[in-house]
Structures are given as C-alpha cells and as structure tokens.
Amino acid sequence: MAETIGAYVKNVRDTATSFWEGMSVTLSYMFRKPITTQYAGRDDFRRMPVPVHYTIPARYRGFLEVDMDICTACLACERACPISVINIDTVKGDGKTKPKLAMERFDIDIGKCMYCGLCVEPCPTGAIQHTREFEGATMNFNNLTLRFVPDPLTPWPAYKVPKGSDSFPRRELGEITRKLIKSWDAPPPPFPSEEEAKADHGKPKAAGTLDPAAMGRQLAAKALQVKDDKPKLQKVLEEAMAGTDCGDCGYPDCFGYSNAIAQGKETSTEKCAPGGADSKAMLETILVSLKTGAVPGPAAEAPAAAPAASPVVPEAPKGPPLAQTLSKDALYKVVLDAMAGTDCGDCEYPDCDSYTKGIVYEGQTDLNRCAPGGEDTRVKLYEIMLGVKPPPK
C-alpha cells in the first residue's frame, strides 16, 4: 500500500516538474523581441510600419520595370532574353508629324520570367531594371503580362540620347510596376485590334472581353511580315499559345511546339490544351494567312466573294546609287536618316552617328549591323550605298 502511494506521489511530482519546465520556456519568450513578423500583404500596413517590399534588399530581383521615358527602343533587352519574355513592336515615322522611331508594344511576361537579369545588363540608359515587387498571385495568367505601352494605337516615342550623356533621369524604382500589377481576381485584359478600335470610334471595350479573333488577326499580320524568317515566325506563333510550357502538346515547351509549326514539321493547331479554343483559333488564323498571303477580316464584314489581289512587287531602284551621286556631307545625312536612331551601340560603334561616319567617310562595307532597324534599315543602306537589294541572310 505504501509503495502504491509513493509511486502515485512520484508521478504527480514528475508531471508537475515537466509542466513547469515547458511553461518556463514558453514564458521566457514573452519578454524577448519577436524575430518573425506575421506576413502582411501589399496593401496591409496593420502589422508592419512600412510596405513589405521596402524591407527587401535593394538588389533583390523582383518584377521587371521599364521607364519608357528613357527607353531608346534599341531592342537589346529583347535580344538578350533567352526565353522570349520581352516583346517589343516598333514603328518608324517621318520624324516630323510622327516620331522617327516609336514603340507600339513593350510587354514583359513575368509569368515566364526566370529573373536572370540578362536583359538589364545591355540597356544603354538603365530603363529596364528589377524591382522589389514580388506578389504575383492571380486567377488569370494573362494578368502576369505587364504592358508598358498603355495604348497600342498611340505609339510611345523612343528616347533620343543627348550627345555626351552618361546618366539618365529615372522614376523611382517600382513606381511604374506597382500601377500595372492587378489584384489577384481582376478580369483578364482584352485584345483590341486596330481596325475594331477605329470602327468603334475609340470607345473602350468592356473590361475582361477576351477577343481571340482580333488577336489572331494581329498575329497573322506580323506572321506575314516575317514569314521567311523562321525564328521570328516562331515567336509570333508562340504568342498565340498559353505560355505555360506544360508539355501537354507532346513537345517539351511552347517553344518546341511553335518552332515545329514554323519549320513546317507540325500542322495541328489543337495541341495547346491550356490555350483551348482561343489558341486553336489564333493558330488557324495565322496558318491560313501564311497560306493565302492575306489576313482574313472580321467575319461580319467578310465579302461573299473577293477577287484575288495580285502580289505587289517592289520596284527596283533606278539609276546609280546615291553614294555615287551625292557629296559626302549630303550622303551622310541620308545614311543617318536610314538608321534606327537608338544609339544602342550594338553595331560596335558608340552611336548611330559614328556608324554612319564609318560607312560614308571611313569605308565601312558591313551594312548589316543596325539590329534595331532590322530589315528596313538594311534594305535602305544597300539601296543608298550599292543600288541593289540586300542578299538574304
């Protein structure tokens, strides 16, 4: 009996000792400064004195941001991106009524970005930078595409770098991107086409109205421009896909599927399961346009029967090239006007002015170096200097 009572008392004592040992550890943390803080969202300042992104180190690689006010449209970032996250469309004007070089689109798909920073390094003005923004929770994948040109019908003029400048005014890092980030349950952005926007007298479409037919016609028009350039055609085809790289199409990623179509090795337009009927319709529009040589118009406006238009054959340059008829100084102005005007340095000269002087005064014969000007600048330079069309690349 005595042994039973002793064992009972011992168990009570051990239980009480164990309880107070555990409680002493718990109570000790009541008088310590907390190490962790309960996470506060982007707009929740109740738990933190400042927004959470301000507590992240300045060199953190978050969402990309482009300050369009100092973007030269040199396309260096687009060329540097290894997975085609950045897409830029440029348009040239006469330099009087319209800017000499402007951007109709500057999109960055942060849903595909791997935050490598390769696009930041070649930017001549520091226009593109990583921010400390990181919150990308969304119900609609298309909302992860940041569009830095607000209206494609109003091209954004390229920044002209002042001679001798080595620093450029930039808006506060993160200010632009924060305005573009949508709430997680926002509807997906629409895809307006130029002809539909004009037909609607400039009235904005209702938010969230996805229009794959209009998007398909836009992509088809681009495809016709680059149909002989397989890498560029692949990029256009990939834009019609969901961009998830899921592999459900039987290819490793969207690049593999779109490249197979561009090379003529794949003809099916139904393999992009995440894109569904929208991707199928856009791919079909592109392929039909490549086959017929014309972009189909809206179904409601399509004529019953239209005669086939004869292809327009560009007129060959007549007479001797301008290089043989103009003085050096006059030729210099003509050649400089043919350049893209971005002063990106990709031609291995400091700027467009130096490349022009190299061609006109120093005997530079390589007329293929202006990457931002593309085929348009290349054709002009060959016609000015040699009076012939450039050979195919």
Side-chain angles (χ1 to χ4, degrees), residues 211-228:
D211 190 350
M215 184 65 175
R217 291 194 294 275
Q218 284 185 328
L219 295 177
K222 295 179 186 177
L224 287 176
Q225 296 175 0
V226 299
K227 62 180 180 180
D228 296 326

Side-chain angles (χ1 to χ4, degrees), residues 240-243 248-249 254 257 269-277 279-280 283:
M241 299 175 184
D248 196 55
C249 57
C254 295
Y257 183 25
T269 60
E270 303 177 349
K271 293 188 175 183
C272 185
S279 288
K280 179 177 180 292
L283 289 173

Side-chain angles (χ1 to χ4, degrees), residues 324-381:
Q324 298 178 8
T325 60
L326 298 178
S327 64
K328 294 288 186 182
D329 293 341
L331 181 62
Y332 161 80
K333 294 180 180 180
V334 174
V335 173
L336 182 61
D337 187 62
M339 300 289 182
T342 60
D343 293 334
C344 63
D346 199 55
C347 58
E348 299 180 5
Y349 285 87
D351 48 34
C352 298
D353 181 71
S354 301
Y355 184 30
T356 302
K357 289 179 179 177
I359 294 175
V360 177
Y361 299 107
E362 300 169 9
Q364 172 61 257
T365 58
D366 188 353
L367 306 178
N368 306 305
R369 295 189 178 188
C370 186
E375 190 64 17
D376 184 41
T377 295
R378 184 167 171 260
V379 169
K380 289 180 180 178
L381 291 178

Side-chain angles (χ1 to χ4, degrees), residues 125-316:
T125 62
I128 183 169
Q129 297 286 338
H130 280 286
T131 67
R132 293 182 289 186
E133 299 293 330
F134 64 92
E135 296 173 286
T138 179
M139 291 181 64
N140 301 295
F141 190 78
N142 287 335
N143 284 340
L144 293 178
T145 299
L146 302 182
R147 306 185 186 279
F148 292 93
V149 176
D151 183 4
L153 301 182
T154 307
W156 194 285
Y159 176 65
K160 182 66 176 178
V161 179
K163 297 297 180 183
S165 297
D166 55 3
S167 62
F168 308 93
R170 199 189 192 287
R171 295 169 66 178
E172 181 185 355
L173 197 62
E175 173 188 343
I176 303 168
T177 295
R178 279 194 293 274
K179 294 179 180 178
L180 297 178
I181 297 174
K182 297 179 174 62
S183 59
W184 76 281
D185 57 348
F191 294 99
S193 65
E194 183 174 353
E195 62 269 17
E196 288 174 345
K198 290 180 178 178
D200 200 30
H201 305 289
K203 296 179 181 178
K205 289 180 175 289
T209 55
L210 180 66
D211 190 350
M215 184 65 175
R217 291 194 294 275
Q218 284 185 328
L219 295 177
K222 295 179 186 177
L224 287 176
Q225 296 175 0
V226 299
K227 62 180 180 180
D228 296 326
D229 190 333
K230 300 302 182 184
K232 290 184 178 180
L233 179 59
Q234 175 274 321
K235 289 183 65 176
V236 174
L237 289 164
E238 189 174 0
E239 286 187 55
M241 299 175 184
T244 59
D245 293 334
C246 63
D248 196 55
C249 57
Y251 293 88
D253 46 31
C254 295
F255 172 84
Y257 183 25
S258 56
N259 189 55
I261 298 177
Q263 300 294 337
K265 300 177 181 178
E266 177 65 69
T267 57
S268 175
T269 60
E270 303 177 349
K271 293 188 175 183
C272 185
D278 291 344
S279 288
K280 179 177 180 292
M282 288 188 280
L283 289 173
E284 287 178 348
T285 301
I286 296 171
L287 294 182
V288 167
S289 300
L290 291 174
K291 186 175 181 179
T292 61
V295 179
E301 300 176 4
S310 58
V312 179
V313 180
E315 185 178 355

